[in-house]
Amino acid sequence: MFPVFFNNSMHTETNSVSPSSKKPALVVAEWRKKFPGKVNLCGVPAATVEDFALAHDIDFVRDTLSCTIPNGFNNKDTKVAASLPYTTGSMVTAAKYLLMSEEAGVAVSPTSGFHHAAYNRSMGFCTFNGLMVTTVKLLKEGLAKKVGILDCDFHYGNGTDDIIAKLNLDESVVHFTAGADYTSPQMAQRFMDRLPKVLEDFVGRDILLYQAGADAHKDDPFGGLLTDEQLYRRDKMVFEFCKAQKLPVVWNLAGGYQVAPDGSIQKVLDIHNNTFRAMVEVYHE
Ligand SMILES: [Zn+2]
């Protein structure tokens, strides 16, 4: 079974064009149906103000959580604010679980909305940077000395770079963000060819946080790079590398914006299902 760090409080309905906030519950329901006996649902404690302040300005954290300033969806919805401690909490808890367990393995955080969140600013459906809150917490608590962040969302992880620079974490964090270099479908094969070399940069890290973004799909209205088959190979390559290197990996959902006329997001869920399938095939648990 594979640990999936999920809490119903991660789920909110917003009127945003981004389905990110309702994805956790939908994707977990899909996995339980499609991969019977493979989902080990694990609880998620809420991240605290102090946790968020590890990677963000404390006033920005307080004002966002109290809905005094807009969240990453550019609204002041209290339901979104209430979900934020659990999305970041999921990533933190999944990473700590792997680092404190005997065997290096894989864990799932069905979360999105992290990488555009900068030190004191939210944007692009991202309010707080759960990747960087997790990274700094692991470093501070001595659970990791070197952290890798492999961001295969279609967009540039500007918020992650901003926090790494602000906190001078260049030495402790290797960050690759595909969105900085690969911006059109013509670059798909180049990305696939480079991925093995990108992965080599994570040799010797204590843990990898992997954003298996679904908006890298070629039909995504805000993305557009890889085919279904390439996305699946991308995920499989990442998991095979981590398994061979005994590198613990937490993966999450990140972006994905293909919405059917009836409002369903099955195409996005199918991409996340393929990531789950790649994990099951590589780790055989
Ligand atoms: Zn994106």
Side-chain angles (χ1 to χ4, degrees):
M1 282 178 100
F2 295 89
V4 177
F5 290 82
F6 174 75
N7 178 319
N8 264 317
S9 302
M10 285 157 64
H11 174 99
T12 43
E13 294 285 347
T14 63
N15 294 323
S16 166
V17 60
S18 169
S20 293
S21 55
K22 61 183 176 187
K23 263 195 325 195
L26 292 174
V27 87
V28 167
E30 285 272 307
W31 294 339
R32 294 180 84 175
K33 193 171 68 189
K34 293 211 156 75
F35 304 97
K38 298 292 183 194
V39 174
N40 176 21
L41 277 189
C42 300
V44 174
T48 63
V49 169
E50 291 73 27
D51 290 335
F52 288 123
L54 291 170
H56 294 285
D57 174 76
I58 184 107
D59 291 328
F60 163 71
V61 171
R62 289 209 177 101
D63 291 348
T64 304
L65 288 173
S66 63
C67 302
T68 313
I69 59 174
N71 56 44
F73 296 90
N74 203 24
N75 64 45
K76 296 180 184 174
D77 190 333
T78 53
K79 293 196 293 298
V80 171
S83 73
L84 298 169
Y86 295 99
T87 48
T88 286
S90 167
M91 180 57 77
V92 168
T93 311
K96 288 182 77 165
Y97 165 86
L98 285 182
L99 287 168
M100 293 195 294
S101 64
E102 294 281 299
E103 282 175 44
V106 57
V108 190
S109 170
T111 52
S112 309
F114 291 152
H115 74 162
H116 295 309
Y119 181 72
N120 58 7
R121 195 163 59 99
S122 57
M123 63 171 274
F125 316 128
C126 300
T127 308
F128 295 131
N129 197 316
L131 301 166
M132 288 310 297
V133 171
T134 300
T135 295
V136 179
K137 198 166 169 72
L138 297 178
L139 295 171
K140 282 252 156 80
E141 294 186 2
L143 287 167
K145 286 193 172 68
K146 292 171 180 247
V147 176
I149 299 174
L150 173 61
D151 187 348
C152 288
D153 187 275
F154 182 75
H155 302 99
Y156 169 48
N158 61 302
T160 306
D161 266 353
D162 177 71
I163 296 168
I164 290 171
K166 186 90 188 167
L167 302 180
N168 287 316
L169 291 173
D170 276 326
E171 295 278 302
S172 326
V173 184
V174 168
H175 175 220
F176 173 81
T177 167
D181 296 328
Y182 300 92
T183 51
S184 75
Q186 292 74 27
M187 303 169 104
Q189 193 54 49
R190 237 180 293 164
F191 169 80
M192 295 303 292
D193 292 344
R194 184 175 164 208
L195 188 55
K197 285 195 184 65
V198 168
L199 289 169
E200 289 301 317
D201 287 342
F202 296 108
V203 170
R205 299 278 122 186
D206 297 315
I207 190 164
L208 184 69
L209 310 181
Y210 171 42
Q211 292 228 110
D215 57 7
H217 190 275
K218 65 179 179 54
D219 295 336
D220 195 279
F222 297 143
L225 185 69
L226 307 174
T227 63
D228 287 301
E229 194 269 335
Q230 286 170 322
L231 281 168
Y232 171 75
R233 270 200 290 135
R234 172 196 75 175
D235 297 336
K236 206 151 180 199
M237 228 187 282
V238 173
F239 293 134
E240 280 169 349
F241 170 83
C242 291
K243 190 179 181 193
Q245 292 290 327
K246 297 189 167 41
L247 174 62
V249 54
V250 182
W251 64 273
N252 78 341
L253 311 174
Y257 306 96
Q258 297 187 70
V259 181
D262 67 359
S264 87
I265 59 163
Q266 192 58 46
K267 287 195 166 175
V268 173
L269 298 176
D270 287 345
I271 295 167
H272 299 313
N273 289 342
N274 276 341
T275 306
F276 200 97
R277 182 171 297 116
M279 171 183 71
V280 170
E281 288 181 8
V282 171
Y283 288 89
H284 309 293
E285 282 180 29

